[in-house]
């Protein structure tokens, strides 16, 4: 099946063409980072206007690069939520329009499900069941993925997401937005042991995360050094902060897999592009007898290839979404607030099965 994937949940307009769930023919991403960097974060109204300008050329480029025409597309997978409503509506309305005009089915995909299934974009694919660590700008969660449609939340952040912490620390240090990539670049030259920042392990059996205390500790440390007029190395701050985030994310993910007797561990989401997190998780996971899978960095940050891939699994279940279905800003299908409970994904479209 030839699937066109569309993603517009935040500040990336993206489109991709995927054949039969494994041949990625194109993966086009138009990032709005330059537009939002002046404001130190994503401005929702500007984002949706930009998506409106970008969506047509981005989809056209994805079709051109894939060497296929719109008439050959057999199904569309589009991000339905969670994200910024104005941004989501651009991609969703575009997908619905193509679906109606071309007479082909479309399916609404949960953005987090896209991240959860993104390791399947690589040659070496994980086997179900696996434990997934999702670390992005909006989410830091652990899931037990039983199959492509069943996700059991195991833990989540109680305050800031990991990417949010990276971005806020970047702001404190006056680094360009978004802070994540800038911090990981600077951290390469820094000493991770230079500052001892707190690790929030929480209760002994908890698989939840908390990063706001760490962010406050970094802010306090920087303020103190500035007040004293002491010269300090921003690279050391970055490396020490990064190490604290990486250690907690990775060790809790390993604990989750071991605690549930699962041999496969995956990593995804924008923060999964962080080289130190990738290296640390691979090393410690392997030491603990786990098989660790992660998509290449281009598939960690927001993209439409992962949405097309999730669409491949949904269409495999004969799932389609009706034209009157709306976008949602908070996840409806996955409820990270209720760890341990089981959630089959997609009740809305399962009702529309033939
Ligand atoms: O998945 P994503 O592209 O968007 C969301 O769904 O949120 O994740 C974006 C987040 C941002 O907070 C960004 O700073 C972070 O991922 N990020 C990184 C790196 N690259 C992106 N964080 C740490 N190190 C990186 N190399
Ligand atoms: Zn994302």
């Amino acid at each position: 099946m030839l699937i066109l994937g569309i993603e517009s949940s935040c500040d990336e307009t993206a489109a991709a063409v995927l054949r039969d769930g494994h041949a990625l023919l194109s993966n086009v991403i138009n990032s709005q980072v330059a537009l939002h960097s002046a404001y130190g974060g994503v401005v929702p109204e500007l984002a949706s206007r930009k998506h409106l300008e970008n969506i047509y050329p981005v989809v056209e480029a994805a079709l051109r690069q894939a060497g296929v025409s719109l008439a050959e597309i057999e199904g569309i997978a589009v991000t339905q939520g969670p994200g910024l409503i104005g941004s989501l509506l651009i991609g969703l309305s575009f997908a619905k329009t193509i679906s109606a005009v071309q007479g082909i089915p479309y399916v609404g995909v949960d953005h987090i499900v896209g991240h959860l299934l993104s390791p399947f974009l690589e040659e070496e694919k994980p086997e179900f069941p696996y434990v997934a660590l999702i670390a992005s700008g909006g989410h830091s969660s652990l899931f037990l993925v039983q199959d492509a449609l069943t996700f059991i939340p195991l833990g989540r952040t109680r305050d800031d997401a990991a990417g949010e912490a990276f971005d806020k620390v970047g702001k404190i240090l006056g680094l360009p937005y978004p802070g994540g990539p800038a911090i990981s670049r600077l951290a390469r030259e820094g000493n991770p042991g230079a500052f001892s920042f707190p690790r929030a392990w929480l209760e002994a059996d908890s698989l939840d995360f908390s990063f706001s205390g760490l962010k406050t500790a970094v802010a306090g440390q920087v303020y103190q050094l500035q007040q004293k007029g002491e010269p300090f190395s921003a690279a050391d701050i970055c490396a020490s902060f990064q190490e604290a985030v990486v250690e907690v994310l990775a060790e809790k993910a390993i604990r989750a897999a071991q605690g549930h007797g699962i041999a496969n561990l995956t990593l995804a989401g924008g923060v999964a592009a962080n080289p130190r997190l990738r290296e640390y998780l691979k090393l410690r996971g392997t030491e603990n007898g786990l098989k660790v899978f992660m998509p290449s960095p281009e598939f960690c940050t927001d993209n439409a290839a992962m949405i097309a891939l999730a669409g491949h699994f949904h269409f495999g279940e004969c799932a389609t979404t009706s034209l009157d279905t709306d976008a949602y800003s908070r996840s409806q299908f996955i409820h990270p607030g209720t760890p341990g409970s089981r959630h089959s994904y997609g009740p809305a479209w399962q009702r529309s099965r033939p």
Side-chain angles (χ1 to χ4, degrees):
M1 185 177 191
L2 196 59
I3 296 177
L4 169 67
I6 296 177
E7 152 67 34
S8 70
S9 65
C10 191
D11 59 343
E12 263 100 25
T13 322
V17 177
L18 183 73
R19 193 191 294 279
D20 299 332
H22 60 86
L24 185 64
L25 305 185
S26 64
N27 184 34
V28 176
I29 302 172
N30 183 302
S31 172
Q32 302 178 9
V33 160
L35 172 70
H36 299 286
S37 61
Y39 306 94
V42 178
V43 183
E45 184 58 31
L46 292 183
S48 45
R49 283 189 219 170
K50 204 68 189 166
H51 281 304
L52 199 52
E53 278 174 33
N54 287 342
I55 188 80
Y56 189 80
V58 164
V59 168
E60 218 178 20
L63 293 171
R64 194 173 52 247
Q65 285 180 24
V68 301
S69 70
L70 191 55
E72 290 173 82
I73 296 292
E74 293 163 284
I76 306 167
V78 60
T79 306
Q80 193 182 341
L84 302 170
I85 279 294
S87 294
L88 287 162
L89 282 174
I90 307 297
L92 186 62
S93 310
F94 198 83
K96 284 180 184 180
T97 308
I98 303 178
S99 165
V101 171
Q102 296 292 119
I104 51 174
Y106 93 95
V107 69
V109 171
D110 189 286
H111 182 81
I112 304 307
V113 170
H115 279 306
L116 283 166
L117 298 174
S118 63
F120 282 93
L121 288 166
E122 296 300 327
E123 274 295 297
E124 208 196 342
K125 301 180 194 320
E127 271 172 33
F128 296 113
Y130 57 84
V131 164
L133 168 63
I134 299 295
S136 73
H139 298 264
S140 294
S141 304
L142 284 162
F143 288 94
L144 172 52
V145 182
Q146 289 207 315
D147 55 52
L149 302 174
T150 313
F151 309 94
I152 300 173
L154 303 177
R156 61 172 180 140
T157 183
R158 294 182 184 176
D159 40 58
D160 292 354
E164 199 179 344
F166 268 96
D167 296 342
K168 286 176 177 169
V169 166
K171 227 173 193 176
I172 292 165
L173 293 170
L175 299 175
Y177 171 84
I183 288 176
S184 66
R185 270 193 303 275
L186 250 186
R188 268 190 248 137
E189 299 146 29
N191 170 11
F195 297 93
S196 153
F197 291 130
R199 273 86 168 141
W201 296 110
L202 307 175
E203 305 80 34
D205 60 346
S206 175
L207 294 173
D208 281 352
F209 300 104
S210 166
F211 295 109
S212 80
L214 169 61
K215 170 199 68 192
T216 308
V218 174
Q221 181 72 72
V222 171
Y223 180 74
Q224 245 182 36
L225 291 165
Q226 283 170 341
Q227 287 299 303
K228 284 190 201 156
E230 274 179 29
F232 66 93
S233 155
D236 283 350
I237 299 266
C238 289
S240 305
F241 159 76
Q242 177 178 269
E243 202 63 14
V245 177
V246 164
E247 209 178 296
V248 175
L249 284 175
E251 296 297 339
K252 287 216 175 202
I254 291 166
R255 201 189 292 169
Q258 288 180 326
H260 287 81
I262 303 289
N264 293 316
L265 178 61
T266 68
L267 169 67
V271 181
N274 184 282
R276 178 61 185 147
L277 177 57
R278 298 172 74 84
E279 171 193 64
Y280 187 104
L281 191 71
K282 192 101 196 167
L283 185 81
R284 289 281 299 138
T286 311
E287 271 175 15
N288 282 280
L290 302 173
K291 266 188 105 172
V292 182
F293 300 85
M294 51 190 87
S296 51
E298 63 174 318
F299 299 132
C300 290
T301 43
D302 289 349
N303 64 85
M306 66 182 192
I307 303 302
L309 186 103
H312 162 77
F313 283 110
H314 300 354
F315 284 126
E317 293 291 314
C318 301
T320 57
T321 305
S322 67
L323 286 174
D324 60 1
T325 303
D326 220 340
Y328 52 86
S329 57
R330 294 175 72 87
S331 192
Q332 293 184 341
F333 303 129
I334 295 174
H335 306 273
T338 49
S341 57
R342 182 194 173 93
H343 291 284
S344 279
Y345 167 66
W349 49 251
Q350 277 172 356
R351 276 202 297 276
S352 68
R353 270 196 210 185

